[in-house]
Amino acid sequence: MNVLFLGISASIKGPRDGITYPFIVKEMKALLERGVTVYFLARHIDAHDEIDGVTYLSLDELVGRHRVVRALQLIRYFLLHLRPLLRLAVCDVNRTKSVIFAEIGIAQAIRQYDIDILHTHFLWPAGEAGVLSAGDCRIPVVATLRGAELINRPDIDYGAMTNPFNRVAAHVAFPRISHFTTPNQYLSEVLVKDYGVPPSRVTYLPNGVEKIDPPAGKRHSGEHLKLLAIGRVIKLKNHSLLVDAASLADDAEFEIVIIGEGRLRDQLQREIETRGQQKIRLHHEVSKSELYEMMTDADCIVHPSLSEGMPNVVLEAFALGRPCLASDIPVHRELIEEGANGWLFDPHNANELLEKIRQIIARRNELSGMEVRCREVAAGFTLSRKVDGYLGIYEQVLNFGAD
């Protein structure tokens, strides 16, 4: 079975496809181990460390670099798929051109390498690319959503659907996709209710975490409760709420360490300093091994995000036996049992967050008893489970095409 994976920038210019690679590299390796032949298509192959056994394809090389040839290919393809491409062009001509070039390159890859299944990840902006060529070549398309594709949250500058082009592209692409996988139940419901995708074409298939060998260290025994927040410092991650809660807490004995980089890091640092916060400090990104040591040393992981697909931070915390204090959003409600492996709070209410922290302080001597339940939950989210799901879907869509 030959499967072609698409990187995120298959239909745009720029090195953004590099950011998707860490998410799918483990999945490609696992599929290789199961006997699947994997191809990976991206615009910038040099953005990736290559995996032995995966064939890497450059979109630019497949399409060709001669301007006249490209122009003729573009016109021919536009006329061949006039109706859907015209809908896209009305929104954004330049992005439509990029989509067409991606479609041409993907079609070339499908034919040249005898591809059986096209597997697109993140769906946008690469998701609208490939569905037309896959149809022309009569092969199925599997789309793995990761979280942002169906979200429309202009208030926090987040989600593909904040862009009109992506909204139109979704309506072009979705009817042509053979099967979807979603990282949480909520997005499965959105696909069915808001986009009219039949439930039979949607599978809830959450992220999987590899088994983590706990570091040698133990939970810290310091005087104060230690909370650890991990993630990019952007509006979506809602770190300001942590500062707000700490500012209300003159009496509470806790400290919060925020690990991460991002465009709002300097702004968050100024906010912490301006408000004279001693309970919060920022820490730069660290290696995975160092991160696991810091997570093991913490009493609890705090995750105030406003939206998530399937947060690896929470799954990794559970795998290490650490409970999570998390925002009350759909995916966290799927993962957290109040008081058993964590707690939920309103992501817009600093007072409620502070009250939950005080509850944890009062129960601090009981936290070690939550480790077993945390690990039990993590055990249900494995990479092998996800790969098994992929293989089942591959078989299903290929058999449906054969029928």
Side-chain angles (χ1 to χ4, degrees):
M1 182 190 302
N2 297 336
V3 178
L4 176 62
F5 273 35
L6 293 185
I8 197 170
S9 72
S11 62
I12 62 172
K13 294 180 179 179
R16 287 187 58 196
D17 55 343
I19 71 174
T20 74
Y21 197 61
F23 289 95
I24 65 175
V25 61
K26 292 177 182 178
E27 296 172 10
M28 290 195 293
K29 285 182 177 179
L31 286 168
L32 285 171
E33 292 173 358
R34 301 291 190 89
V36 176
T37 302
V38 180
Y39 297 81
F40 184 83
L41 173 66
R43 185 177 292 276
H44 297 275
I45 297 303
D46 56 359
H48 310 292
D49 295 326
E50 296 189 10
I51 306 169
D52 288 341
V54 174
T55 301
Y56 288 79
L57 308 177
S58 166
L59 187 63
D60 284 332
E61 291 179 7
L62 286 165
V63 175
R65 300 179 184 276
H66 195 284
R67 289 187 178 183
V68 174
V69 173
R70 281 194 169 202
L72 292 174
Q73 287 178 315
L74 185 150
I75 294 170
R76 177 183 177 278
Y77 205 94
F78 185 81
L79 294 175
L80 185 63
H81 297 281
L82 182 61
R83 187 171 179 179
L85 292 175
L86 190 58
R87 292 178 65 187
L88 295 178
V90 169
C91 293
D92 190 323
V93 171
N94 288 329
R95 283 195 66 184
T96 302
K97 287 180 181 178
S98 293
V99 167
I100 294 173
F101 285 131
E103 291 283 354
I104 293 169
I106 292 166
Q108 179 66 20
I110 291 170
R111 295 186 179 102
Q112 184 173 338
Y113 296 95
D114 196 22
I115 300 299
D116 298 302
I117 294 173
L118 183 68
H119 194 154
T120 176
H121 294 260
F122 282 85
L123 195 60
W124 69 276
E128 67 269 14
V131 292
L132 300 179
S133 291
D136 291 342
C137 298
R138 300 184 181 278
I139 69 167
V141 180
V142 175
T144 290
L145 307 190
R146 300 283 178 169
E149 298 90 342
L150 305 181
I151 304 301
N152 187 355
R153 292 289 304 274
D155 56 316
I156 57 173
D157 189 29
Y158 182 70
M161 294 308 167
T162 59
N163 187 311
F165 182 89
N166 291 331
R167 293 197 292 270
V168 173
H171 288 287
V172 170
F174 285 8
R176 295 171 167 84
I177 290 172
S178 309
H179 206 94
F180 296 84
T181 75
T182 66
N184 59 56
Q185 298 281 12
Y186 171 71
L187 288 180
S188 295
E189 295 171 3
V190 170
L191 274 175
V192 173
K193 294 179 180 178
D194 295 350
Y195 292 91
V197 177
S200 60
R201 288 171 48 208
V202 182
T203 297
Y204 163 56
L205 199 57
N207 295 345
V209 292
E210 293 182 310
K211 183 180 178 182
I212 300 174
D213 294 323
K218 298 180 179 180
R219 188 192 306 271
H220 91 113
S221 56
E223 181 180 351
H224 301 314
L225 182 80
K226 180 180 281 189
L227 300 166
L228 196 65
I230 305 160
R232 292 173 296 152
V233 186
I234 56 176
K235 195 170 184 178
L236 168 72
K237 298 301 182 180
N238 199 26
H239 292 116
S240 291
L241 188 77
L242 303 179
V243 182
D244 293 340
S247 298
L248 298 170
D250 293 333
D251 59 329
E253 296 181 344
F254 67 89
E255 62 174 321
I256 302 175
V257 178
I258 301 172
I259 301 176
E261 311 292 337
R263 62 179 179 271
L264 297 183
R265 194 180 197 281
D266 291 343
Q267 178 180 318
L268 183 63
Q269 182 65 60
R270 288 194 298 270
E271 185 178 355
I272 292 170
E273 293 171 355
T274 300
R275 299 173 75 169
Q277 269 309 312
Q278 303 299 316
K279 292 182 172 67
I280 298 184
R281 62 185 175 90
L282 288 178
H283 195 293
H284 288 288
E285 284 185 348
V286 295
S287 67
K288 266 298 185 187
S289 60
E290 292 175 295
L291 180 63
Y292 291 157
E293 289 178 3
M294 295 179 73
M295 292 172 76
T296 302
D297 184 57
D299 289 295
C300 182
I301 306 303
V302 59
H303 200 60
S305 184
L306 296 169
S307 182
E308 289 287 342
M310 177 56 66
N312 280 349
V313 166
V314 174
L315 297 180
E316 290 172 338
F318 288 164
L320 291 167
R322 293 299 175 263
C324 289
L325 174 59
S327 51
D328 189 0
I329 58 176
V331 66
H332 288 157
R333 290 195 289 271
E334 294 178 19
L335 295 171
I336 291 177
E337 306 164 36
E338 187 77 19
N341 63 350
W343 303 265
L344 298 171
F345 62 87
D346 182 344
H348 305 286
N349 190 329
N351 283 295
E352 184 175 320
L353 171 57
L354 178 58
E355 179 56 33
K356 291 296 176 81
I357 293 175
R358 285 174 170 149
Q359 290 177 24
I360 298 171
I361 292 173
R363 294 184 54 187
R364 190 178 177 192
N365 62 343
E366 303 174 22
L367 294 180
S368 59
M370 302 174 74
E371 292 184 13
V372 172
R373 183 57 189 148
C374 289
R375 290 194 170 96
E376 287 176 349
V377 173
F381 295 86
T382 63
L383 181 61
S384 61
R385 174 189 173 185
K386 185 155 196 176
V387 172
D388 286 342
Y390 282 164
L391 293 173
I393 291 167
Y394 292 167
E395 183 178 356
Q396 176 184 333
V397 296
L398 287 173
N399 288 341
F400 181 81
D403 294 340

